[in-house]
Amino acid sequence: MNSHTFSQSKYFDSRWFRDTGLEGTRIRQILSLIGTGSKILDVGSYNGGITRRIKEQGNDVKAADASSAFADLYRELGIPFSQVDLERPLPYGDSEFDVVFAGEVIEHLADTDTFIREIGRVLKLGGRLVLTTPNVASLARRIMLLFGINPFFEASFTFPGAGVAGHLRYFTPSLLKSFLTSCKFRVEFLGTDSITLTPNYGSVFLAKVFPTFGRSIIVVAINEK
């Protein structure tokens, strides 16, 4: 099994998608950063929950995902969909998009070099990458490590159990910024959504004051290739 086949077998229904609570906070921030009136590619689009909202904001959007489980739904929504392996070349033209959105995707990939390189290829010069990924240095994870508790790291595609998400890469804000800069992106915004101590409670205010402690890393990076 690899990251592509794992995603196909894991994310075939909507049970992993939430748009309320802390996830709702993250989604609202993402939509604000994406904006309106642009040609968008949503890579790792999953069940279309965010893709649909991107379209409703007045964008021309296409979707791509490892799984084709929601292809019929995209057809109903009138959103062009492609089943792809995100560690291989994307089926889109050079400089085709104004914005690429990659929400909670990069942590699932082994070959992040190809992933970011392909995003840079399909983005216009000056186009924006809006990317989110879990923050390995979040306050909750730091506290768990302090007490020797596993902060949701995974040993394999099956261990430690049903909650395994297939995360292969773990980022801090500074590491993600350095990586994107090395790939010829200029980081314009580096923030977070909320600081959490429990799975269901977070502070948006504290996240603005101490962004490196937030649960998610949220980046807007400009393609300078």
Side-chain angles (χ1 to χ4, degrees):
M1 183 178 290
N2 57 34
S3 60
H4 179 64
T5 55
F6 176 85
S7 294
Q8 288 179 306
S9 63
K10 181 76 172 185
Y11 299 108
F12 60 87
D13 58 34
S14 297
R15 76 180 74 178
W16 307 105
F17 179 78
R18 299 184 303 278
D19 58 0
T20 58
L22 298 179
E23 278 300 289
T25 299
R26 184 179 68 87
I27 291 170
R28 287 191 295 274
Q29 187 169 357
I30 289 165
L31 293 172
S32 176
L33 291 170
I34 289 174
T36 187
S38 297
K39 190 169 185 179
I40 315 285
L41 174 63
D42 184 354
V43 292
S45 57
Y46 186 36
N47 72 338
I50 299 178
T51 323
R52 173 178 56 82
R53 297 187 188 186
I54 293 172
K55 180 180 180 180
E56 289 172 350
Q57 287 192 167
N59 294 294
D60 177 9
V61 60
K62 294 182 178 180
D65 196 80
S67 171
S68 62
F70 300 98
D72 289 342
L73 175 60
Y74 283 109
R75 194 175 299 110
E76 292 173 9
L77 293 171
I79 296 173
F81 171 81
S82 297
Q83 184 180 12
V84 299
D85 182 342
L86 294 177
E87 297 182 75
R88 295 180 179 274
L90 295 170
Y92 304 105
D94 295 353
S95 305
E96 185 172 341
F97 299 98
D98 303 303
V99 180
V100 172
F101 169 56
E104 311 299 292
V105 176
I106 195 171
E107 67 273 12
H108 294 266
L109 305 177
D111 187 0
T112 52
D113 292 308
T114 295
F115 178 62
I116 296 298
R117 183 171 60 247
E118 278 296 288
I119 288 175
R121 180 184 65 79
V122 302
L123 266 177
K124 296 176 181 176
L125 181 65
R128 293 177 292 134
L129 166 61
V130 179
L131 183 152
T132 76
T133 190
N135 179 15
V136 73
S138 68
L139 179 60
R141 288 179 188 262
R142 294 183 196 214
I143 293 173
M144 293 174 77
L145 281 170
L146 182 65
F147 288 95
I149 302 170
N150 175 24
F152 311 110
F153 294 162
E154 301 168 13
S156 75
F157 286 127
T158 60
F159 189 87
V164 166
H167 291 183
L168 305 178
R169 302 287 187 181
Y170 296 92
F171 292 90
T172 64
S174 61
L175 175 61
L176 184 57
K177 181 178 181 179
S178 297
F179 176 53
L180 292 175
T181 300
S182 76
C183 298
K184 310 303 181 185
F185 281 85
R186 173 175 52 85
V187 174
E188 182 179 67
F189 172 83
L190 181 62
T192 190
D193 48 359
S194 60
I195 289 179
T196 61
L197 285 176
T198 72
N200 298 313
Y201 175 77
S203 171
V204 175
F205 172 77
L206 288 177
K208 294 178 180 178
V209 180
F210 305 105
T212 59
F213 287 84
R215 66 190 286 267
S216 297
I217 307 171
I218 302 176
V219 173
V220 179
I222 308 302
N223 183 27
E224 295 192 325
K225 290 184 181 179

